[in-house]
Every structure is written in C-alpha cells, then in structure tokens.
C-alpha cells in the first residue's frame, strides 16, 4: 500500500470523504489543503454525461480565464508574411514556418506550451499531427489556435486562455489557477470554465450533463463539489 507524507495526510483530514461541498467552500478548502513548498496548481475535473466515442457528443473548446492560470505560456506561431511581425509584436516566443516543423520532428523539440497557426500554414502543420496530437498541442479552429488573427491568439494565450476537452473517460481536466490566487480569484476562474463547458453541451446529450466535479491542488486530496450548485 502506498504511504503518504505527513502534509498529505494532514490535508486529507480536512476533507470529509463523502461530502459534496458548495463550490466556494470547495475552492477555499483546496487552497487550505495546498501545503507543498511550491505554489500548487488548482485543477478542476468535470465528469460529463456524454459519450466521447461519438463525434456529435464531443465537448471541446477554449476560454480565457479572467485571472489567468499563473503560468508563463510559451507560444510557437506558424505564419508568414506580415503576420510574422504581428505575432512577434504580440509577444510570441517563436515565429516561423517549416524550419520549426523540422526542428520538432528531427530534434524532438517541445520548448513551447501552445501552437498557433494561420490557415495558410496548415500544409506545414498537417504533417505534425502524429507528433503534436498525442501531446494535445495540435492547433485547431475550434480552440481558436488556427486563425488569421495570430496576434490576438498570442495575446489570449499569454493572458490565460485554456483549452478544455473530454478524455476517453468523459472527464475534462483543467487548471484554474494557482493556490496563491486565493479563493475569490479561483472562484471567478472556476465559474468561467464551468460556464463555457455548460455552453458547449452537445444537442445530442441526454440526461444529467455534469455527473460529478472534483477540485484538487497538485499535491492535495480531491474535494467533491455539489454539481447541482454549478451554473
């Protein structure tokens, strides 16, 4: 049986195992159970009543969190012409074309967190699907990372835009900030994310949409949220 450290064990004692907490109370408790020496990320895990195996029940999109994620986001932009300067002016970390595609494939280079592409670069990007796809880095129009307005996409990524998508078990896993943000800012981010997920509900989804919701810090225990109180 795995042995847990004293800090984790102390945190577990603060959480009532089978209780469904009000969202605000759960967020405050997630901050309280964040006891690591580093600034822990607070994550939300939402299980949906859909079947990700069906194309018409996919839930995927992107949203800008009002208080950001607390993470420095490194952006790689595939574009050409005047878009190159626009992307650089917006703060993109890497801007270019085929040379970066080659670097990714040949050198296994992944010193970036978000990939953005203008539509006229999809010929270059398409060849990277097998490499970027498994890492969740493949740009897409739905996430706003394939766009003619690359400067805006860079600005939003830097400001705390996150992508949400279902995994194979119909759960969305997303960061909503750092423990140091405090409960109020984290609650604003949570409401923004949940609102986006609810708005993205597929027309074919039947029955209860949000099945369960758990919040946790990087090293802390899961705290169950009363999904009926999410809106």
């Amino acid at each position: 049986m795995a042995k847990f450290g004293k800090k984790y064990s102390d945190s577990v004692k603060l959480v009532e195992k089978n209780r469904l907490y009000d969202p605000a109370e759960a967020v405050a408790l997630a901050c309280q159970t964040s006891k690591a020496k580093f600034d822990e990320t607070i994550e939300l895990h939402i299980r949906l009543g859909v079947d990700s195996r069906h194309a018409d029940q996919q839930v995927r999109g992107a949203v800008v969190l009002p208080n950001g994620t607390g993470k420095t986001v490194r952006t790689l932009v595939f574009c050409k012409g005047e878009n190159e300067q626009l992307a650089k002016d917006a703060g993109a970390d890497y801007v270019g074309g085929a040379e970066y595609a080659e670097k990714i494939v040949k050198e296994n280079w992944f010193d970036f967190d978000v990939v953005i592409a203008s539509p006229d670069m999809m010929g270059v990007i398409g060849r990277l699907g097998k490499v970027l796809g498994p890492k969740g880095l493949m740009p897409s129009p739905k996430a706003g990372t394939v766009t003619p307005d690359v400067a805006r996409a860079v600005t939003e990524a830097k400001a705390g835009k996150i992508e949400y998508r279902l995994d194979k078990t119909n759960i969305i896993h997303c960061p909503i900030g750092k423990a140091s943000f405090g409960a109020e800012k984290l609650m604003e981010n949570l409401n923004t994310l949940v609102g986006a997920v609810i708005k993205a509900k597929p027309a074919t989804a039947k029955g209860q949409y949000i099945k369960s919701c758990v919040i946790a810090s990087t090293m802390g225990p899961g705290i169950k949220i009363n999904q009926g109180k999410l809106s």
Side-chain angles (χ1 to χ4, degrees):
M1 227 176 125
K3 281 191 175 181
F4 295 108
K6 185 177 183 303
K7 287 181 180 178
Y8 181 85
S9 298
D10 289 344
S11 293
V12 168
K13 291 173 187 174
L14 298 172
V15 181
E16 292 179 44
K17 193 175 180 182
N18 295 312
R19 180 178 167 187
L20 292 176
Y21 288 85
D22 281 354
E25 199 177 355
V27 169
L29 192 52
C31 292
Q32 199 180 339
T33 56
S34 173
K35 296 179 180 291
K37 290 180 180 177
F38 62 92
D39 192 6
E40 294 183 51
T41 295
I42 305 296
E43 290 192 347
L44 202 62
H45 308 275
I46 310 170
R47 186 164 65 90
L48 299 180
V50 296
D51 190 342
S52 62
R53 292 174 298 178
H54 300 295
D56 61 356
Q57 290 196 36
Q58 285 293 328
V59 179
R60 181 181 180 183
V63 63
V64 178
L65 298 179
N67 300 300
T69 62
K71 180 182 177 182
T72 301
V73 177
R74 300 164 299 174
T75 53
L76 166 60
V77 182
F78 286 93
C79 62
K80 55 189 175 184
E82 62 179 21
N83 270 333
E84 289 194 26
Q85 193 56 50
L86 292 171
K88 288 174 184 175
D89 291 345
D93 298 271
Y94 309 101
V95 181
E99 70 275 20
Y100 281 114
E102 194 173 326
K103 190 175 174 69
I104 290 168
V105 174
K106 290 187 176 178
E107 299 176 28
N108 200 33
W109 175 72
F110 289 102
D111 291 344
F112 48 86
D113 306 295
V114 176
V115 182
I116 295 161
S118 55
D120 57 1
M121 296 299 287
M122 289 314 291
V124 174
I125 287 290
R127 298 195 294 272
L128 296 173
K130 288 182 180 178
V131 186
L132 297 179
K135 293 181 179 289
L137 291 169
M138 190 67 179
S140 77
K142 199 162 188 179
T145 44
V146 174
T147 172
D149 193 349
V150 292
R152 180 180 176 183
V154 170
T155 302
E156 288 182 342
K158 295 281 187 181
K161 185 175 187 177
I162 58 165
E163 189 176 348
Y164 58 86
R165 66 169 81 182
L166 283 178
D167 68 7
K168 289 178 181 177
T169 59
N170 305 315
I171 298 175
I172 287 173
H173 309 272
C174 271
I176 57 166
K178 297 287 187 179
S180 62
F181 282 18
E184 189 177 334
K185 286 185 176 180
L186 287 168
M187 194 64 207
E188 288 175 0
N189 282 356
L190 180 148
N191 285 333
T192 299
L193 172 60
V194 170
V197 171
I198 290 173
K199 198 173 177 182
K201 180 182 179 180
T204 54
K206 306 296 180 190
Q208 188 178 352
Y209 181 51
I210 296 181
K211 289 282 192 180
S212 64
C213 187
V214 173
I215 190 170
S217 61
T218 307
M219 306 295 287
I223 301 158
K224 297 174 184 175
I225 295 176
N226 184 345
Q227 66 271 21
K229 299 284 183 75
L230 294 170
S231 58

